[in-house]
Amino acid sequence: EDMEASERPHGLLVPQKHANLRSVGAYKYSVREAFQRCLDLYLCPRVMKRRLNIDPESLVPKLPKANDLRPFPTSICIEYKTPYDGDEAPIIRCVSCSPDGKHMVSGATDGFLRLWEVSTGRLLKSWDLNEIARKADPASNQTASIAIKPVVAVEWNCNRSLHCALAVIGKCLVIIATGTEGESDIELTSALLASAKKGGNVTNAKAAKAVRWTALESTSESPVSAFAGASGPLAVLVTNYEMASVRWHGKGDYFVTVCPKAGAASVLVHQLSKGSSQQPFSKAKGEVQLACFHPNKPFLFVASQTHVRIYNLVKQMMVKRLISGCRWISSLDVHPSGDHVIIGSLDRRLAWFDLDLSNTPYKTLKYHERAVRGGCYHPKYPLMASASDDGTVHVFHSMVYSDLLRNPLIVPVKILRGHTQRRKLGVLAVAFHPLQPWLFSGGADGKVFLYQHI
């Protein structure tokens, strides 16, 4: 009580002892303290709050102009006209270009695989793979109705010295000698296809139950090149379930096939030079949609509906699992450097993964109005493209720097139009020219276009 009120621990209040709670009276300084608090609020100094005047445009990252990022494809230069019988042209499901950039193959829903000359748009060869598939797998034709099956995937050998292509139709994968090799490539191509012409030799017990190699009768078909030894379908790989995709290894000997409904045998790795097949997995982890090889490491990318798993084939273990955040993965491609992956999905997303950064997408691009059907990198130029059911192809400048501290630069530069929608489908196939900044696209309207930079 002898201390000043300001020095007391409880202010004006002096603690007192009471016998019970009923003896505690009202606080006699309550009105005084309330008045002092109001006085403090009234006399407190006002602080000037400065409002930040920031230009909203300065918050948006500055992207380079599209004209500074040339070359990239800008307009249609050549249309490859598909011959057809009936009222509607067949839907183009897949396209692939040769490594030398001189020829291109396209697969359609009429079961034909067509070989085109890139520079002129001339149709050089046409193979009826539906008839070949029926002869190779007569058991399925007895139970199933006689319906024309589409060519769902086609891949030209990515090795420039090896002139052959793979086409998927139903349960069959057809090995085709394109007949476009020059004088210096005859021996290499013939050696690669020699084992396939004999019917293969599958020694793996698991793979032997899942796939069967069958040689086809040689035809007297004249090749495109005067130096070529053989031309046309040479062998067929028959599986128990329908195939969905096929992809080559970078060296051009191995290739991987995917049968989504086959369970543990959904992913099969084949070696063309030996005519053999392997089944790398003994258990199925989800329904596999796509698979492809790493460009320079012994890695295999396996995409299910929502995730992508990366396996080390030498150590036989999973290295990484990419969480896409997509509902249904429709396309998968690996950057030539091997450090980046793009994934397209049916829920309009295009996800870019930086494998050194995280297992979640570095960028998720939502530029399309409908499902994304294809996405791919250019093998030489810093370009990326995505195709969608909205009938457009979006081209991106995608620069990947050697400096690991710099993030990739992704800039949308062009929207390519020309295809029309049919049955709610748009552009189903997209592929870059291997040497030029050109782009091939195939759509549900039955047209194949070549876009060039002008």
Side-chain angles (χ1 to χ4, degrees):
E1 293 180 358
D2 299 335
M3 298 174 64
E4 293 289 338
S6 60
E7 297 178 357
R8 295 175 190 173
H10 303 288
L12 295 174
L13 177 65
V14 179
Q16 295 180 359
K17 189 174 182 180
H18 299 276
N20 48 45
L21 189 60
R22 289 183 300 171
S23 302
V24 179
Y27 182 46
K28 60 181 179 180
Y29 298 113
S30 60
V31 177
R32 181 180 173 180
E33 286 193 356
F35 173 74
Q36 287 182 346
R37 288 175 184 173
C38 291
L39 199 63
D40 290 340
L41 291 173
Y42 172 70
L43 296 175
C44 68
R46 267 61 170 176
V47 178
M48 182 71 72
K49 187 176 181 181
R50 294 183 179 179
R51 186 176 181 181
L52 299 177
N53 294 321
I54 300 176
D55 184 12
E57 295 295 332
S58 64
L59 300 176
V60 180
K62 293 183 179 180
L63 297 177
K65 295 181 179 179
N67 289 332
D68 298 336
L69 302 177
R70 290 179 179 270
F72 53 83
T74 57
S75 56
I76 300 174
C77 284
I78 299 177
E79 178 184 351
Y80 303 89
K81 295 186 177 180
T82 303
Y84 61 93
D85 297 328
D87 298 332
E88 291 185 344
I91 297 174
I92 305 299
R93 292 289 301 269
C94 48
V95 294
S96 181
C97 187
S98 62
D100 57 8
K102 297 179 181 179
H103 302 92
M104 183 266 295
V105 285
S106 65
T109 52
D110 59 356
F112 277 83
L113 184 74
R114 295 176 174 88
L115 175 66
W116 307 86
E117 189 175 26
V118 170
S119 58
T120 62
R122 185 164 60 102
L123 179 61
L124 301 176
K125 292 287 181 180
S126 183
W127 297 291
D128 186 2
L129 301 187
N130 206 48
E131 188 66 28
I132 295 172
R134 287 174 185 169
K135 294 179 181 178
D137 189 21
S140 65
N141 293 324
Q142 294 176 1
T143 56
S145 60
I146 302 176
I148 297 176
K149 295 181 179 179
V151 179
V152 296
V154 62
E155 284 287 326
W156 199 297
N157 197 319
C158 48
N159 190 328
R160 194 164 182 171
S161 301
L162 305 174
H163 294 256
C164 61
L166 304 174
V168 173
I169 177 169
K171 298 180 181 179
C172 301
L173 179 139
V174 184
I175 302 171
I176 301 165
T178 58
T180 56
E181 61 262 34
E183 188 176 2
S184 59
D185 303 328
I186 300 174
E187 295 182 2
L188 292 174
T189 304
S190 299
L192 179 72
L193 302 174
S195 184
K197 292 178 181 179
K198 298 176 183 178
N201 182 24
V202 182
T203 56
N204 189 297
K206 290 183 180 179
K209 298 178 182 178
V211 65
R212 183 180 77 253
W213 290 63
T214 303
L216 298 176
E217 297 180 0
S218 59
T219 60
S220 58
E221 181 181 328
S222 59
V224 175
S225 172
F227 303 100
S231 178
L234 299 178
V236 178
L237 277 69
V238 184
T239 57
N240 300 326
Y241 297 87
E242 290 197 358
M243 294 189 201
S245 72
V246 59
R247 296 293 286 271
W248 282 102
H249 185 268
K251 294 187 177 179
D253 189 11
Y254 290 89
F255 59 94
V256 58
T257 57
V258 173
C259 304
K261 303 293 183 182
S266 57
V267 179
L268 296 174
V269 178
H270 314 271
Q271 187 177 7
L272 185 56
S273 62
K274 295 183 179 180
S276 62
S277 302
Q278 303 175 40
Q279 181 180 326
F281 305 114
S282 58
K283 294 181 180 179
K285 292 185 179 180
E287 189 173 303
V288 178
Q289 303 296 316
L290 299 161
C292 67
F293 290 101
H294 192 281
N296 44 43
K297 292 181 180 178
F299 290 171
L300 181 66
F301 294 81
V302 179
S304 61
Q305 289 184 357
T306 56
H307 299 88
V308 177
R309 293 177 174 87
I310 306 175
Y311 295 93
N312 189 324
L313 297 177
V314 175
K315 296 182 179 179
Q316 298 183 355
M317 59 180 289
M318 188 175 74
V319 178
K320 187 176 285 190
R321 180 167 168 261
L322 304 179
I323 303 171
S324 66
C326 303
R327 295 180 182 177
W328 195 297
I329 294 175
S330 60
S331 66
L332 172 68
D333 195 27
V334 184
H335 192 268
S337 66
D339 296 331
H340 304 271
V341 177
I342 53 168
I343 295 170
S345 69
L346 298 182
D347 54 351
R348 304 184 295 115
R349 300 186 183 186
L350 185 70
W352 176 301
F353 287 87
D354 189 340
L355 300 183
D356 296 331
L357 189 64
S358 172
N359 61 347
T360 55
Y362 163 67
K363 292 282 186 184
T364 301
L365 309 174
K366 298 180 183 178
Y367 290 103
H368 288 286
E369 297 177 358
R370 304 195 66 177
V372 176
R373 292 292 179 174
C376 62
Y377 288 107
H378 196 287
K380 291 182 181 290
Y381 288 87
L383 293 174
M384 178 182 72
S386 62
S388 171
D389 279 342
D390 57 11
T392 63
V393 178
H394 289 203
V395 181
F396 300 85
H397 176 84
S398 55
M399 173 62 76
V400 174
Y401 301 97
S402 57
D403 185 5
L404 298 179
L405 298 177
R406 297 184 66 179
N407 292 327
L409 177 64
I410 306 172
V411 182
V413 292
K414 188 66 178 178
I415 298 178
L416 302 176
R417 292 181 170 87
H419 291 279
T420 56
Q421 294 185 21
R422 196 174 86 188
R423 300 173 189 171
K424 296 183 179 181
L425 299 175
V427 184
L428 301 179
V430 63
F432 275 108
H433 191 281
L435 304 177
Q436 300 289 340
W438 301 346
L439 184 73
F440 298 96
S441 67
D445 54 0
K447 297 178 181 179
V448 181
F449 290 135
L450 171 62
Y451 298 88
Q452 294 183 1
H453 64 288
I454 297 177

